């Protein structure tokens, strides 16, 4: 299985910290954000390659970081953009990666994750869940704050975890379940990314494709067994530095 890591953003809300340095390589405790994610996922033994999708401005930083990981296969893919204004958007970055992966390597599907979050639980729970469901899968967590719901992907589910609807940044949220940027695409559904783009799904937020895909085929949502720490601005980064306990379950 391949793991696509979305890392082509410019993190302008973290300036000056990320003005000349990529957010996914910031340290939380003793490790970079990407190291927390990759070292955990790699414990599943199911991922044979990590593909980090970078912008052109930061590609060399990721290449230098990847060169230090001799025991893990990491490929850095430069999407060619050089500013926040010219970025492709997460969904187009996914399609770029798929265009660069031979179709005979798609058999086990793809993990698609954002490179700017850390979790206090192992993503291996999610990998096991995808093996059970055998469909495209996402994760979900309950968000109490009504204001935050307007800034997230909000889903409705049935009692079997099937996604009934999903909407990015809804004006009127239909539930309190939000979808953080951790996904699994089956091989078949990965071939539909371009179709989703052509059909007009949003391309900036990575969940936009899932919102469209859930109207075409079955998508299941696993409730997160722990907490996600989203690093969006300087205050949240400082908070994560103080509070993140590492992976505890």
């Amino acid at each position: 299985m391949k793991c696509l890591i979305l890392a082509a953003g410019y993190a302008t809300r973290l300036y000056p910290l990320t003005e000349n340095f990529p957010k996914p390589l910031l340290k939380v405790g003793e490790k970079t954000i990407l190291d927390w994610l990759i070292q955990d996922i790699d414990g599943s033994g199911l991922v044979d390659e990590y593909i980090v999708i970078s912008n052109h401005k930061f590609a060399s930083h990721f290449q230098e970081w990847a060169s230090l990981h001799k025991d893990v296969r990491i490929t850095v893919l430069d999407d060619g953009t050089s500013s926040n204004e010219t970025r492709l958007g997460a969904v187009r970055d996914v399609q770029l990666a798929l265009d660069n992966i031979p179709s005979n390597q798609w058999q086990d599907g793809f993990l698609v994750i954002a490179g700017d979050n850390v979790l206090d639980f192992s993503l291996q729970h999610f990998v096991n869940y995808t093996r059970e469901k055998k469909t495209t899968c996402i994760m979900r967590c309950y968000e109490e704050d009504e204001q935050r719901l307007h800034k997230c992907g909000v889903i409705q589910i049935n009692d079997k975890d099937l996604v009934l609807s999903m909407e990015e940044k809804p004006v009127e949220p239909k539930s309190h379940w939000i979808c953080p940027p951790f996904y699994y695409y089956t091989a078949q559904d990965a071939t539909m990314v371009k179709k989703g783009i052509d059909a007009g799904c949003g391309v900036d937020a990575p969940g936009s494709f899932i919102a469209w895909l859930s109207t075409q085929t079955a998508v299941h949502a696993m409730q997160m067994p722990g907490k996600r720490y989203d690093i969006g601005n300087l205050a949240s980064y400082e908070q994560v530095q103080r509070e993140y306990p590492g992976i505890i379950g």
Side-chain angles (χ1 to χ4, degrees):
M1 178 168 61
K2 307 297 182 188
C3 179
L4 309 184
I5 300 176
L6 303 174
Y10 290 86
T12 56
R13 290 186 296 154
L14 272 166
Y15 279 14
L17 198 59
T18 55
E19 191 166 4
N20 295 296
F21 193 78
K23 178 165 59 168
L25 295 184
L26 294 176
K27 283 197 170 182
V28 174
E30 76 278 14
K31 301 179 186 178
T32 69
I33 297 169
L34 284 191
D35 283 318
W36 280 111
L37 294 168
I38 285 180
Q39 289 173 18
D40 170 42
I41 296 169
D42 214 50
S44 72
L46 296 173
V47 171
D48 59 18
E49 183 180 12
Y50 298 88
I51 300 167
V52 179
I53 310 164
S54 169
N55 57 54
H56 183 67
K57 181 178 181 180
F58 293 141
S60 62
H61 291 278
F62 289 110
Q63 288 162 353
E64 181 180 355
W65 165 82
S67 71
L68 302 175
H69 293 71
K70 307 298 184 183
D71 57 339
V72 180
R73 185 181 178 191
I74 300 173
T75 300
V76 177
L77 182 62
D78 181 348
D79 76 359
T81 70
S82 56
S83 70
N84 192 53
E85 291 71 32
T86 60
R87 68 188 185 276
L88 297 182
V91 179
R92 286 201 179 101
D93 275 331
V94 169
Q95 183 59 50
L96 176 68
L98 298 179
D99 288 342
N100 281 271
I101 301 171
S103 58
N104 62 1
Q105 297 181 20
W106 290 21
Q107 298 171 358
D108 296 321
F110 299 87
L111 281 176
V112 180
I113 66 176
D116 59 356
N117 291 240
V118 287
L119 307 169
D120 68 4
F121 62 93
S122 175
L123 268 171
Q124 294 180 47
H125 295 293
F126 182 56
V127 173
N128 293 336
Y129 180 88
T130 69
R131 290 296 181 260
E132 174 191 335
K133 293 298 186 183
K134 302 185 187 305
T135 66
T136 289
C137 295
I138 62 178
M139 291 202 295
R140 59 185 166 96
C141 59
Y142 192 84
E143 177 55 64
E144 293 184 1
D145 188 336
E146 295 275 356
Q147 294 305 310
R148 281 186 56 82
L149 292 174
H150 299 295
K151 302 176 182 179
C152 301
V154 176
I155 65 171
Q156 289 181 296
I157 57 169
N158 67 12
D159 59 0
K160 296 186 183 300
D161 290 354
L162 183 70
V163 175
L164 304 177
S165 72
M166 178 175 173
E167 185 177 3
E168 283 286 348
K169 300 180 180 179
V171 175
E172 297 182 4
K174 296 178 181 177
S175 82
H176 283 263
W177 290 114
I178 65 171
C179 172
F182 295 89
Y183 319 110
Y184 168 77
Y185 298 172
T186 65
Q188 177 60 41
D189 290 350
T191 67
M192 297 177 69
V193 175
K194 187 177 186 304
K195 183 178 179 180
I197 295 172
D198 291 343
C201 83
V203 296
D204 195 37
S208 296
F209 170 66
I210 296 292
W212 175 82
L213 184 67
S214 66
T215 68
Q216 309 294 310
T217 190
V219 176
H220 288 90
M222 182 191 87
Q223 185 171 355
M224 287 177 12
K227 184 176 179 181
R228 171 183 68 125
Y229 296 76
D230 180 20
I231 300 168
N233 53 33
L234 287 169
S236 63
Y237 179 52
E238 291 168 358
Q239 183 178 6
V240 170
Q241 291 281 54
R242 293 192 306 268
E243 299 179 2
Y244 182 59
I247 297 171
I248 57 179

